[in-house]
Amino acid sequence: MTFTPAKWPRTLRSQTWFGGTSKDNIYYRSWMKNQGLPADLFDGRPVIGICNTWSQMTPCNAHLRDLAERVAHGIYEAGGLPLEFPVFSTGESALRPTAMMFRNLAAMDVEEAIRGNPMDGVVLLAGCDKTTPACLMGAASVDIPAIVVSGGPMLNGWFRGERVGSGTALWQMSEAVKAGTISNADFLEAEAAMSRSPGSCNTMGTASTMASMAEALGMALSGNAAIPAVDSRRRVMAHLTGRRIVDMVKDDLKPSDILKKTAFENAIRVNGAIGGSTNAVIHLLAIAGRVGVDLTLDDWDRCGRDIPTIVNLMPSGKYLMEEFFYAGGLPVVIKALGDADKLDKSALTVSGGPIWDEVKDVRNWNEDVIRPVSNALTDHGGIAVLRGNLAPGGAVLKPSAASEHLMVHRGRAVVFEDIDDYKARINDEALDIDETCVMVMKNCGPRGYPGMAEVGNMGLPPKVLRKGITDMVRISDARMSGTAYGTVVLHTSPEAARGGPLAVVKTGDMIELDVPNRRIHLDIPDAELAARLAAWTTNTARPSGGWAQLYHDHVQGADTGADMDFLIGCRGNAVGRDSH
Ligand code: FES
């Protein structure tokens, strides 16, 4: 794919605010000058917004104001004018009911802030899970030059000589406490070891996955995804990104030039190779929707099917993001895919050139962290898309985080009507359940929860854990944290709260999972299923007012990205009339 840069110099968008001598032009400039900006900064040079998802409520992004300064240095150095602005920060660890419920709100904030303000290009500062897709979705809907800088992962966690992976260790240890193999005091002591520096989760969780997706899509400089948050090279990356966006504005290199179908296909393959989060499925579908790219769940299965997982990181493997960076990071993975003929090498990136030019000369410095394709963790690492009468719209499973012996399984359903029902009964020793059963949870999808919580990896019953069993088949319309693992069927569509077949599963029904054949089946007669669906009525309440109500009424299904129906598409950068 070739890109022809625009002619430079030319009059930029920001000059409709800052150029000229009208009353309005004076108004726009004069107020800006209260920040101590000299007059020549309004002379027609690129004005670059620094879109910052910084927040102390989002600890993974709490260091982003420092990075914003570095971005600003680069912008000034390249002859641009940097102007930082805040947007809603969707922190995964603290925001209730779920950060996912606010991804679309944050995307709308990003979009309107970019469109309504005097900027010619934008640097998107993101880190925690939802902040990356929210920024990309918003920027894609405006379609002015845009580039991502990730906050970077935390340093490795260490506890008693062992690596402690964000999230992954939490799930493992909480199960170990329930099984009685570690004490609660040990668990509490490990708490501080899990998060020992600024940055996002240090596993290949959703934050690291989405940083990798931004790079694989071509929306970040090569090498951006893996640099630890506190490594000085993270600041260098921010500085270089500031320089680069100025040239992107001069060239008029926009998201719509980069985010082509081939870019998404590359990203899907990269997700398989890194053992990335199932959350990437929803986010990439939503980003594609913003640029009018026809990306579907079937593309995920088609592109990911023969992709080996070669990155040996938790939750699929052993290491953490710090080691991934030292081994060479994402460029090594992209090169490996290119060498294996599983990459569109011509896909355009923010560099203005093809992705292959960025990676073709990189080296792998640790072949246990980034395995050669011939020694992959698993040969089939892509997300599996399952269909059948239980999920006519599709469901997903991450094979690299699942148990081989459960990939083909038939078991008796044990149904939980929602997360409260699950929590109320899972520890009951009288619950009729064993490791051959299939745990089913309803009403945790986009509309049902609302906000599609990361609860799909339901913890196992204590009486099963005590037998030393660590995995069971679990099915829901929920999501799962990218740091989690297990034979977990997620995003079942249509969700229960919309009357999908999941809504009418009963305890005692038999369910068949067949991952190799991409099948998920509720083994009851068709007529019985039809009768149950005809009799179904919703048992989830419509939220009363505010964003929750708007979200409930307009959010789409997980199978198409869970965007709001009125936010899908690119609305461009045109603004209305002056305000004065
Ligand atoms: Fe923010 Fe994991 S909780 S990146």
Side-chain angles (χ1 to χ4, degrees):
M1 205 175 301
T2 52
F3 170 72
T4 307
K7 284 197 169 56
W8 181 258
R10 66 180 188 285
T11 302
L12 294 174
R13 177 175 189 263
S14 59
Q15 283 293 292
T16 64
W17 279 266
F18 298 141
T21 55
S22 72
K23 179 197 76 178
D24 284 336
N25 298 138
I26 291 168
Y27 183 100
Y28 292 127
R29 286 192 302 263
S30 174
W31 263 259
M32 278 289 169
K33 285 179 177 176
N34 83 351
Q35 299 179 84
L37 299 173
D40 62 340
L41 291 183
F42 302 96
D43 61 1
R45 68 188 64 203
V47 177
I48 309 296
I50 302 175
C51 173
N52 202 340
T53 56
W54 168 86
S55 169
Q56 289 183 321
M57 296 291 181
T58 304
C60 317
N61 293 16
H63 61 301
L64 293 188
R65 296 218 65 201
D66 172 63
L67 282 186
E69 268 184 45
R70 305 293 161 156
V71 172
H73 286 322
I75 293 169
Y76 273 127
E77 196 175 86
L81 168 60
L83 295 170
E84 183 185 354
F85 63 97
V87 289
F88 183 50
S89 188
T90 45
E92 195 66 37
S93 59
L95 199 55
R96 288 177 174 172
T98 74
M100 184 62 183
M101 193 173 100
F102 300 103
R103 183 202 64 178
N104 298 341
L105 179 63
M108 192 158 63
D109 185 358
V110 170
E111 175 183 344
E112 301 300 344
I114 294 173
R115 183 181 297 114
N117 279 301
M119 67 186 87
D120 305 304
V122 62
V123 176
L124 306 165
L125 273 176
C128 195
D129 300 16
K130 308 300 175 291
T131 57
T132 301
C135 284
L136 282 169
M137 290 162 68
S141 280
V142 186
D143 202 29
I144 64 171
I147 188 168
V148 171
V149 181
S150 302
M154 292 185 244
L155 295 176
N156 283 7
W158 288 98
F159 181 62
R160 297 180 183 167
E162 300 284 336
R163 286 179 189 80
V164 181
S166 315
T168 305
L170 190 67
W171 319 133
Q172 285 169 339
M173 287 185 187
S174 84
E175 299 281 85
V177 170
K178 278 202 264 176
T181 53
I182 67 168
S183 72
N184 214 42
D186 292 337
F187 194 15
L188 286 170
E189 200 179 326
E191 178 183 308
M194 291 180 193
S195 309
R196 55 181 275 258
S197 84
S200 50
C201 288
N202 55 23
T203 43
M204 188 51 81
T206 305
S208 299
T209 298
M210 289 313 299
S212 299
M213 292 297 91
E215 188 173 331
L217 284 168
M219 289 299 295
L221 290 180
S222 187
N224 168 71
I227 308 170
V230 295
D231 192 300
S232 56
R233 287 163 284 188
R234 174 58 61 192
R235 289 176 165 183
V236 173
M237 176 59 67
H239 191 128
L240 295 177
T241 302
R243 286 188 194 165
R244 179 62 200 147
I245 187 66
V246 175
D247 284 335
M248 286 175 68
V249 168
K250 291 177 180 173
D251 292 348
D252 199 26
L253 176 56
K254 304 182 296 299
S256 59
D257 296 313
I258 297 167
L259 295 173
K260 304 292 191 190
K261 179 95 180 226
T262 50
F264 287 96
E265 290 172 339
N266 278 348
I268 290 169
R269 294 184 188 107
V270 166
N271 190 66
I274 62 177
S277 164
T278 46
N279 284 321
V281 177
I282 297 181
H283 298 322
L284 257 59
L285 291 173
I287 296 165
R290 297 301 185 102
V291 283
V293 166
D294 181 24
L295 191 74
T296 67
L297 270 182
D298 292 332
D299 291 316
W300 274 89
D301 202 78
R302 176 179 58 83
C303 295
R305 196 172 264 261
D306 296 323
I307 300 297
T309 297
I310 57 174
V311 176
N312 189 6
L313 254 60
M314 297 181 203
S316 300
K318 171 178 168 189
Y319 296 103
L320 295 169
M321 286 298 286
E322 207 181 321
E323 282 123 341
F324 184 42
F325 173 58
Y326 302 146
L330 199 71
V332 176
V333 179
I334 297 173
K335 179 175 190 296
L337 289 174
D339 287 340
D341 216 15
K342 295 180 185 300
L343 182 83
D344 185 323
K345 297 177 178 175
S346 70
L348 187 70
T349 80
V350 287
S351 70
I355 194 166
W356 188 243
D357 284 3
E358 305 290 316
V359 303
K360 63 181 191 289
D361 297 323
V362 300
R363 270 189 62 186
N364 184 350
W365 299 101
N366 188 328
E367 293 199 343
D368 193 34
V369 176
I370 306 174
R371 301 271 190 90
V373 168
S374 57
N375 185 29
L377 257 65
T378 167
D379 290 334
H380 303 287
I383 303 289
V385 176
L386 311 167
R387 292 186 190 274
N389 68 350
L390 188 48
V396 304
L397 178 141
K398 181 176 174 180
S400 64
S403 300
E404 194 58 42
H405 72 281
L406 292 173
M407 299 295 248
V408 177
H409 183 78
R410 178 181 164 88
R412 176 172 58 87
V414 176
V415 175
F416 304 98
E417 290 302 317
D418 54 28
I419 186 68
D420 298 322
D421 184 30
Y422 163 79
K423 286 181 176 172
R425 294 196 289 129
I426 191 62
N427 294 330
D428 184 350
E429 294 290 327
L431 183 66
D432 183 14
I433 191 168
D434 64 31
E435 61 273 24
T436 66
C437 292
V438 174
M439 296 167 66
V440 175
M441 184 160 60
K442 307 174 182 176
N443 295 312
C444 292
R447 180 180 287 172
Y449 197 76
M452 208 180 177
E454 291 186 332
V455 293
N457 57 314
M458 293 165 261
L460 306 191
K463 65 180 179 183
V464 172
L465 288 168
R466 284 198 300 273
K467 291 191 221 172
I469 306 290
T470 56
D471 197 8
M472 289 172 62
V473 174
R474 290 157 270 181
I475 300 173
S476 73
D477 46 13
R479 293 177 303 119
M480 172 173 88
S481 166
T483 61
Y485 52 87
T487 310
V488 186
V489 178
L490 303 154
H491 312 179
T492 303
S493 299
E495 63 176 300
R498 290 176 208 263
L502 185 71
V504 298
V505 180
K506 294 180 178 175
T507 292
D509 290 344
M510 296 304 289
I511 291 179
E512 293 169 2
L513 173 68
D514 182 352
V515 179
N517 289 305
R518 302 300 196 251
R519 182 167 176 268
I520 180 125
H521 181 70
L522 178 63
D523 192 13
I524 61 173
D526 291 348
E528 166 72 11
L529 178 57
R532 288 190 197 178
L533 288 170
W536 174 82
T537 53
T538 184
N539 58 354
T540 56
R542 180 183 184 231
S544 168
W547 173 254
Q549 182 182 309
L550 194 65
Y551 181 85
H552 172 276
D553 292 353
H554 292 278
V555 70
Q556 303 291 284
D559 53 332
T560 56
D563 202 356
M564 310 292 272
D565 52 10
F566 60 87
L567 290 177
I568 293 168
C570 176
R571 284 162 285 282
N573 66 41
V575 281
R577 59 178 68 89
D578 280 329
S579 54
H580 336 107

